[in-house]
Amino acid sequence: MKKLLIYLKDYKKETVFAPLFKMLEATFELFVPLVMAAIIDKGIVPADTGYVLKMGAILVALGLIGLLCSITAQYFAAKAAVGFSTGLKHALFDHIQSLSFTEIDTLGTSTLITRMTSDVNQVQNGVNMVLRLFLRSPFIVFGAMIMAFTIDVKAAMIFVVTIPLLAVVVFGIMALTMPMYKKVQAGLDAVLGATRENLTGARVIRAFHKEEEETERFEEKNGILTRLQLVVGRISALTNPVTYIIINTATILLLYTGAVRVDNGSITQGEVVALVNYMSQILVELIKLANLIITITKALACANRIEAVFEVESSMEWRDTADRNQLTGMDNIAADGGMASGTDALAGQNAADRIDLAVEFDHVHLTYGGAGAESLSDIHIQVPKGQTVGIIGGTGSGKSSLVNMIPRFYDATAGTVRVNGRDVKTYGMEELRERIGIVLQKAVLFRGTIRDNLLWGNGSATDEELWEALRLAQAKEFVETKEGRLDAPVAQEGRNLSGGQRQRLTIARALVAKPEILILDDSASALDYATDAALRRAIKELPGETTVFIVSQRASSIQHADQIIVLEDGEIAGRGTHEELLAACEVYQEIYYSQFEKQNAVQT
């Protein structure tokens, strides 16, 4: 929790004024029993009506001043708590965005959502309650005990015994429930994860008639969460009855002692009433404190979970601007035939030769975090600028893993990936990503308009550039039929569009950026063969030396590529043109002939 308190630094005034005004309210509240004692002893007993009215006015004034202090304290506490959670959410979101795919895969989407929403809200509530009650309740408890000593020392000894007993109960329950609340939040993660999977995969679940199985799975996870909450709830529920028993027992003893002391003439009837009022104040405040402890326990458990995310550091380090400028200068020297920079000098190949390569995989290996085996093994590929590369292979052969290393979504565990002759690790994030346009396997669109989604590729693109990108992506025709055209609405994840339309819009979004390297990761799987062929012809029209990587399960999509890489179990099973692979590569032959009749394939 300490690490999160830095987000209160902009609210120092509020964090001081909130408890201060609560302490003022508590101070006025502690004077109320003394005023009541004076009314009884000096007003009611001697029947002095004027004195009763005067002291009654003082009670009203104390109540109004206390109310004003309470409202002021609540304002400052709410302002600090909401500002704290706002800063925390921004920082947490920024941190999550800085993590690589490896960390996000490890943490899981559902738990990150829970920590961004439910956990932060619990911590916000905890900060609010602490600023309002954490000092007020103990202040009244000990203040009431001190005020009791000013009335009668012997009767006040009951307070000395009662308060430690209450402290043992409250803090003992807190010690028991804190680890349980952590388990409750973990159970909430599981329920949220199952809910998210069922909502996103609702159509698939219905298509395979798996509603009952998914309902049972959800009920199982929800049942675990329910049992955890019941256990911790029962323990927390002990707080109120146990404190009531202790307080009421103490009140009985106080009344008995007070009656004896009144008979002896040691104290007055009004002072006994004041002592009982102080005991009642302690009861009320300890109930508040018990509830506060439960809230703080939840908040601390959630804060620890949020801190755990902050403690996860990205496995990737990106160069800052100064480092990039220095490295760029060294690369220029290398291009002129001078000394090579960094890892390039060790590779044994002249950097001036590498500068003509758009992408190079130099004996690259890749193992995902927690995986038992390599996903890619000893990949060595050189791709000149302007070349079209097809990548094909069976499911799980490593096609997506290979292209995901170019924009550095994942880092090679061994070997080097170079873009334009430079190790990708020597680039800054923006410097590298602005050179690359990638269309991932799953077509993801965001709620808004078609224009909004296309401008992700280039925020300053003109309408002419957007329409040109749509034309190249074979999306112009259907966009023109939409009401609003570029301003036609797009639902979340593009649910109001067909699969092929979504894919074409994501390709257009990548083309708007006019990248040096375009990666199409199985992004035309929903297109018919005619549209797929038209798309490939359009991509060949791209201006400049655009290097294109096409990952596909269809042999027809990559057969006209300048070179084709065939992957099998993370290794290169073949490399060459369509004709060369069809003659010499068994893996490619198997894929190709499974899609085309052998006679037609030979004629082709």
Side-chain angles (χ1 to χ4, degrees):
M1 183 69 181
K2 291 180 181 178
K3 294 180 180 178
L4 304 185
L5 294 179
I6 59 172
Y7 301 105
L8 276 173
K9 65 181 180 180
D10 295 329
Y11 300 92
K12 294 177 182 177
K13 178 182 70 175
E14 287 78 5
T15 55
V16 172
F17 283 155
L20 177 62
F21 277 96
K22 272 294 180 182
M23 299 279 275
L24 286 172
E25 179 202 0
T27 302
F28 291 121
E29 193 171 324
L30 287 173
F31 285 118
V32 170
L34 294 180
V35 176
M36 287 296 300
I39 290 174
I40 294 170
D41 293 336
K42 298 179 182 180
I44 295 176
V45 173
D48 186 347
T49 305
Y51 186 83
V52 171
L53 292 175
K54 182 179 70 173
M55 297 306 288
I58 292 176
L59 279 178
V60 172
L62 289 173
L64 290 174
I65 295 171
L67 176 63
L68 183 62
C69 291
S70 178
I71 293 172
T72 306
Q74 179 59 54
Y75 167 76
F76 285 120
K79 185 177 179 181
V82 172
F84 163 83
S85 69
T86 301
L88 178 58
K89 284 180 180 178
H90 281 297
L92 184 59
F93 186 79
D94 288 342
H95 179 72
I96 291 172
Q97 291 297 311
S98 72
L99 298 177
S100 70
F101 281 20
T102 300
E103 286 75 46
I104 293 176
D105 292 344
T106 302
L107 291 170
T109 306
S110 59
T111 186
L112 291 176
I113 292 173
T114 304
R115 297 184 200 204
M116 275 286 297
T117 53
S118 174
D119 286 358
V120 173
N121 289 339
Q122 290 282 7
V123 175
Q124 173 187 323
N125 193 32
V127 170
N128 190 2
M129 297 293 284
V130 165
L131 291 177
R132 289 170 49 205
L133 299 176
F134 191 69
L135 292 180
R136 182 190 189 280
S137 294
F139 179 79
I140 285 190
V141 169
F142 290 103
M145 184 177 68
I146 293 170
M147 297 299 283
F149 271 100
T150 64
I151 294 172
D152 184 66
V153 174
K154 187 173 182 180
M157 294 305 295
I158 297 172
F159 288 78
V160 175
V161 176
T162 302
I163 291 173
L165 280 175
L166 291 168
V168 169
V169 170
V170 171
F171 288 102
I173 290 175
M174 176 182 173
L176 285 172
T177 55
M178 184 175 290
M180 293 183 181
Y181 278 118
K182 293 180 181 178
K183 293 180 180 179
V184 167
Q185 289 302 119
L188 182 61
D189 279 350
V191 171
L192 180 63
T195 305
R196 181 175 176 273
E197 288 172 3
N198 278 288
L199 290 176
T200 55
R203 295 182 180 181
V204 178
I205 292 169
R206 291 175 182 176
F208 287 90
H209 193 53
K210 294 290 184 180
E211 293 94 337
E212 291 185 4
E213 291 182 16
E214 289 302 316
T215 300
E216 290 175 2
R217 190 167 73 93
F218 176 81
E219 288 177 352
E220 180 184 354
K221 293 182 182 297
N222 196 44
I224 293 171
L225 176 62
T226 302
R227 287 191 291 274
L228 287 170
Q229 288 180 320
L230 286 174
V231 170
V232 72
R234 289 188 182 111
I235 296 174
S236 298
L238 291 174
T239 305
N240 285 354
V242 173
T243 52
Y244 269 110
I245 290 171
I246 296 172
I247 286 290
N248 288 326
T249 302
T251 302
I252 292 169
L253 292 173
L254 189 60
L255 287 171
Y256 175 78
T257 304
V260 173
R261 301 285 286 170
V262 168
D263 283 343
N264 294 337
S266 301
I267 57 176
T268 64
Q269 293 173 332
E271 289 173 333
V272 172
V273 172
L275 288 170
V276 172
N277 279 340
Y278 281 128
M279 187 62 74
S280 299
Q281 284 184 351
I282 290 174
L283 171 62
V284 171
E285 291 306 319
L286 280 171
I287 291 172
K288 289 182 182 177
L289 185 60
N291 292 328
L292 174 63
I293 293 299
I294 293 171
T295 301
I296 291 175
T297 302
K298 291 180 180 179
L300 289 174
C302 293
N304 291 335
R305 285 160 50 83
I306 294 170
E307 281 185 356
V309 177
F310 278 116
E311 288 171 0
V312 175
E313 296 183 359
S314 177
S315 57
M316 294 183 181
E317 294 183 3
W318 293 92
R319 300 282 184 177
D320 59 24
T321 305
D323 291 338
R324 293 203 304 268
N325 291 339
Q326 182 179 2
L327 284 162
T328 302
M330 294 179 73
D331 286 338
N332 290 337
I333 294 172
D336 292 335
M339 61 177 288
S341 62
T343 56
D344 288 349
L346 300 175
Q349 183 177 353
N350 192 295
D353 296 333
R354 282 212 172 95
I355 208 71
D356 293 326
L357 297 177
V359 176
E360 180 185 9
F361 292 86
D362 189 356
H363 300 286
V364 168
H365 298 251
L366 174 65
T367 304
Y368 288 111
E374 288 186 333
S375 297
L376 293 173
S377 302
D378 196 27
I379 303 297
H380 188 73
I381 304 170
Q382 292 183 331
V383 182
K385 292 180 179 179
Q387 196 173 84
T388 298
V389 179
I391 301 175
I392 196 168
T395 302
S397 59
K399 302 185 297 297
S400 295
S401 300
L402 183 69
V403 294
N404 281 340
M405 296 172 72
I406 300 173
R408 206 184 170 201
F409 292 154
Y410 296 95
D411 269 340
T413 48
T416 305
V417 180
R418 297 185 180 88
V419 170
N420 291 340
R422 282 175 55 187
D423 188 339
V424 291
K425 294 180 181 179
T426 66
Y427 282 92
M429 182 183 292
E430 290 185 8
E431 185 187 9
L432 177 63
R433 301 276 170 83
E434 69 185 5
R435 297 169 185 261
I436 300 168
I438 183 167
V439 184
L440 299 173
Q441 281 181 314
K442 183 180 179 182
V444 177
L445 295 172
F446 297 89
R447 185 172 58 187
T449 64
I450 292 175
R451 185 194 306 275
D452 294 335
N453 278 273
L454 294 181
L455 288 176
W456 273 54
N458 179 5
S460 59
T462 63
D463 282 5
E464 290 76 15
E465 291 173 320
L466 297 183
W467 282 114
E468 176 61 15
L470 289 169
R471 183 189 69 81
L472 292 171
Q474 309 305 303
K476 183 178 179 181
E477 182 179 352
F478 84 81
V479 172
E480 286 179 329
T481 63
K482 294 282 185 181
E483 184 178 351
R485 302 178 70 179
L486 287 175
D487 295 313
V490 176
Q492 185 177 352
E493 296 187 358
R495 289 195 178 98
N496 59 335
L497 301 171
S498 69
Q501 290 173 339
R502 287 197 297 268
Q503 286 190 338
R504 281 178 278 175
L505 284 181
T506 54
I507 293 170
R509 181 172 58 193
L511 292 173
V512 167
K514 299 178 180 177
E516 298 176 15
I517 300 169
L518 176 64
I519 301 171
L520 304 178
D521 185 3
D522 205 14
S523 55
S525 57
L527 304 183
D528 57 68
Y529 283 94
T531 306
D532 185 16
L535 174 63
R536 283 184 277 112
R537 286 194 299 270
I539 288 174
K540 286 185 175 293
E541 299 175 15
L542 292 176
E545 292 186 319
T546 304
T547 306
V548 182
F549 286 82
I550 301 175
V551 178
S552 181
Q553 299 279 3
R554 295 178 179 175
S556 61
S557 297
I558 52 94
Q559 69 181 26
H560 299 294
D562 297 309
Q563 66 168 312
I564 300 171
I565 309 298
V566 183
L567 294 178
E568 184 179 30
D569 295 330
E571 298 180 349
I572 295 178
R575 174 172 28 204
T577 63
H578 167 70
E579 292 76 14
E580 291 170 346
L581 292 171
L582 201 57
C585 180
E586 292 183 4
V587 177
Y588 186 76
Q589 291 170 0
E590 182 180 349
I591 295 171
Y592 189 79
Y593 291 139
S594 68
Q595 299 173 10
F596 298 94
E597 292 183 10
K598 194 165 186 179
Q599 182 179 359
N600 293 337
V602 172
Q603 291 175 356
T604 302

